[in-house]
Amino acid sequence: MRKISLIGFVMLIVSIPTFAGGLLTNTNQHVAFLRMLARGASIDIDGVYSNPAGLAFLPSDGLYLSLNGQSAYQTRNIDMTFPLFPEDGHRRYYKGTASAPFIPSFQGAYKKGDWTISGSFAVVGGGGKASFDNGLGMFDSMIMGGLAASDELKGLQQLVGAGAVSDLYTLNSAMDGSQFIYGVQLGLSYKINDWLAVFAGGRMNYFSGGYEGFLTATANSELPSIGGKELAGIELDCDQTGWGITPILGADIKLGKWNIGLKYEFMTNLNLENKTKMAEVRQNGIVMPDKGNPLADFKDGVNTPSDIPALLTAAVGYEILPTLRASVEYHHFFDKDAGMANDKQDHLKHGTHEILLGAEWDVTKQLTISGGFQNTDYGLSDDFQSDISFSCDSYSLGFGAAIKMTKHLTMNVAYFWTNYKDYKKVTESVLGLSATTYSRTNKVFGLGVDYKF
């Protein structure tokens, strides 16, 4: 029997949703972001991430602390049409679920005169587990196409009808992936004069991920010539770890009712090392040797590039009234300069662009309500998209409130959701045209407390 191409399975890094931000970066590191989004000109404790230079303009000396928890839920949907699928219209639907019931973050800052030292701990990338219980269409179609072209099954197709390849075997597959990038940040802000402050610091990032998947194609027992034989099999159980340092610079310009926040995070060189228990490919029941194994990238000890791209943020805030403030912000992720597995970054049309808008209103001295908008453009292309790692351009909305419980204690509560644009990809092969539509859903709940000693 002709060998079935299984090379597509080597990309089993089921990318985990970044609940806000770029392809690999989470920008929702404080609940204040969820309720307003455009926080790049903030003069508050959430500025530890969003505007660290602005911490030099905190209203008074002392210790500021913040503890936040977020719950994020997402679905990843794949609607695929393939000529050999036996369903009506040759169409199958695959649904993946991803959840992170609790995403913690902590920020702290101590201001003394013109100097402010700050630090944080957060999940700065990834943050959940994605599961496709029924496998993925790209693998189903790959196996079906390989079997349809095999010499052994070509004749048997006549027994069950032309094109009815799926009646000759049973296909079973599933996969899970998890990714977490934990970040510990430390930095120093300095107020140069009444209108200018600067920041220098860095973040240590630690990546921890795990990937498990299997796929089996077994001949149906009613076909005596091949009954019960395993036609193809794949098993993968791999953990990956890695770490890297992100230098960060920032500046804040305060001009009356205007405030301008600037931040630049340098690219983080990150290589992921495999700790693999199983990376096996079988064809006709025979284990493929290491040489030529399409899972070679997942062999134990192999390193894979997964750089965190550089990030530039620029925000302008304006105090419309003493009780009403608004901000506009821009983010650019330099994705095309960051190394990805198999140089996948080369297929992007451009780095990620984000536009953010936000406003907050002090309804009373104890209650502030806010809302915001974010539009994200990734620069996607067909060659960048695949079932195991796809993104969709989107816009996000968030709203919430800050409640002053006491003079020193403030509680933030927020709800944030994302509306994704479907991405359709058409692929041509000897079997005909295949069409895949990618879509996603996302919602995040957040609750946090800020305390000023």
Side-chain angles (χ1 to χ4, degrees):
M1 176 174 147
R2 175 183 167 183
K3 287 186 177 181
I4 301 168
S5 173
L6 301 174
I7 191 68
F9 202 82
V10 305
M11 295 299 295
L12 179 71
I13 300 181
V14 183
S15 62
I16 307 305
T18 52
F19 301 110
L23 294 168
L24 197 62
T25 306
N26 292 348
T27 53
N28 53 318
Q29 297 188 19
H30 191 283
V31 176
F33 173 88
L34 299 181
R35 67 174 177 84
M36 185 177 168
L37 280 81
R39 298 292 295 181
S42 169
I43 304 296
D44 210 336
I45 184 61
D46 68 298
V48 171
Y49 172 75
S50 60
N51 183 26
L55 297 173
F57 290 116
L58 285 168
S60 61
D61 288 357
L63 178 63
Y64 297 75
L65 298 177
S66 181
L67 180 63
N68 298 265
Q70 300 178 48
S71 298
Y73 303 91
Q74 187 175 90
T75 62
R76 294 184 155 221
N77 308 307
I78 302 172
D79 189 348
M80 184 174 186
T81 301
F82 180 67
L84 297 183
F85 286 168
E87 293 84 359
D88 289 342
H90 307 293
R91 184 178 181 184
R92 283 184 178 178
Y93 182 73
Y94 301 84
K95 182 176 181 179
T97 58
S99 64
F102 181 65
I103 308 171
S105 66
F106 169 82
Q107 294 85 28
Y110 179 75
K111 183 177 184 296
K112 182 68 173 179
D114 294 334
W115 294 91
T116 304
I117 185 171
S118 62
S120 69
F121 168 81
V123 180
V124 297
K129 178 180 180 181
S131 300
F132 283 86
D133 295 335
N134 296 317
L136 292 172
M138 65 179 293
F139 300 139
D140 288 359
S141 60
M142 176 181 62
I143 293 296
M144 284 184 172
L147 292 173
S150 67
D151 296 334
E152 187 171 354
L153 294 188
K154 275 183 178 178
L156 292 174
Q157 290 182 48
Q158 306 302 319
L159 299 176
V160 293
V165 180
S166 60
D167 291 335
L168 302 177
Y169 63 90
T170 299
L171 194 66
N172 189 19
S173 63
M175 57 188 61
D176 295 328
S178 64
Q179 292 180 355
F180 294 87
I181 303 178
Y182 304 99
V184 177
Q185 180 177 311
L186 186 65
L188 196 62
S189 306
Y190 177 66
K191 185 171 71 172
I192 297 174
N193 51 42
D194 290 340
W195 60 272
L196 178 63
V198 294
F199 170 85
R203 182 184 306 119
M204 196 284 284
N205 308 275
Y206 178 77
F207 179 100
S208 177
Y211 315 102
E212 293 184 70
F214 71 90
L215 183 150
T216 57
T218 307
N220 288 337
S221 58
E222 60 267 24
L223 300 174
S225 63
I226 59 170
K229 182 192 293 182
E230 183 188 69
L231 303 175
I234 303 172
E235 289 185 65
L236 177 64
D237 185 353
C238 175
D239 292 329
Q240 291 183 323
T241 58
W243 67 276
I245 301 294
T246 307
I248 305 170
L249 297 176
D252 189 90
I253 303 170
K254 193 170 179 61
L255 302 171
K257 295 182 178 182
W258 296 91
N259 194 62
I260 301 171
L262 302 169
K263 183 182 68 166
Y264 183 76
E265 298 188 1
F266 291 79
M267 187 184 75
T268 308
N269 290 315
L270 191 64
N271 284 309
L272 309 182
E273 182 177 356
N274 295 340
K275 296 181 179 178
T276 304
K277 299 177 182 177
M278 175 70 72
E280 184 175 278
V281 177
R282 299 181 299 275
Q283 295 182 338
N284 299 322
I286 301 174
V287 176
M288 182 180 291
D290 289 345
K291 185 177 181 180
N293 187 338
L295 292 182
D297 287 348
F298 290 95
K299 287 295 182 180
D300 191 57
V302 173
N303 284 268
T304 303
S306 185
D307 295 342
I308 301 174
L311 167 63
L312 173 67
T313 70
V316 178
Y318 181 68
E319 185 183 280
I320 302 170
L321 298 170
T323 58
L324 181 62
R325 298 165 296 279
S327 296
V328 60
E329 187 171 355
Y330 172 73
H331 295 169
H332 181 71
F333 296 86
F334 295 82
D335 302 298
K336 289 186 67 66
D337 298 323
M340 301 181 188
N342 300 309
D343 293 324
K344 188 179 177 182
Q345 73 279 1
D346 293 340
H347 299 303
L348 289 168
K349 296 177 181 177
H350 54 72
T352 301
H353 300 295
E354 286 186 334
I355 299 293
L356 304 92
L357 306 172
E360 58 180 358
W361 175 38
D362 300 331
V363 181
T364 69
K365 292 183 177 180
Q366 286 74 39
L367 176 64
T368 298
I369 60 174
S370 59
F373 168 87
Q374 172 180 292
N375 186 78
T376 302
D377 176 7
Y378 289 118
L380 303 168
S381 70
D382 285 359
D383 289 336
F384 184 83
Q385 302 280 68
S386 68
D387 289 12
I388 43 74
S389 181
F390 66 87
S391 299
C392 298
D393 293 340
S394 65
Y395 70 88
S396 300
L397 300 171
F399 67 91
I403 305 166
K404 294 183 179 179
M405 312 295 290
T406 69
K407 180 181 179 181
H408 300 282
L409 179 65
T410 300
M411 180 174 69
N412 288 283
V413 60
Y415 177 65
F416 171 98
W417 75 96
T418 302
N419 296 273
Y420 292 94
K421 301 175 185 177
D422 291 354
Y423 188 99
K424 187 173 183 178
K425 175 180 178 178
V426 177
T427 305
E428 186 174 2
S429 70
V430 293
L431 297 171
L433 293 178
S434 302
T436 305
T437 300
Y438 300 113
S439 61
R440 292 165 63 168
T441 66
N442 180 51
K443 57 185 178 182
V444 186
F445 304 88
L447 180 67
V449 291
D450 300 338
Y451 193 86
K452 165 63 170 66
F453 287 88

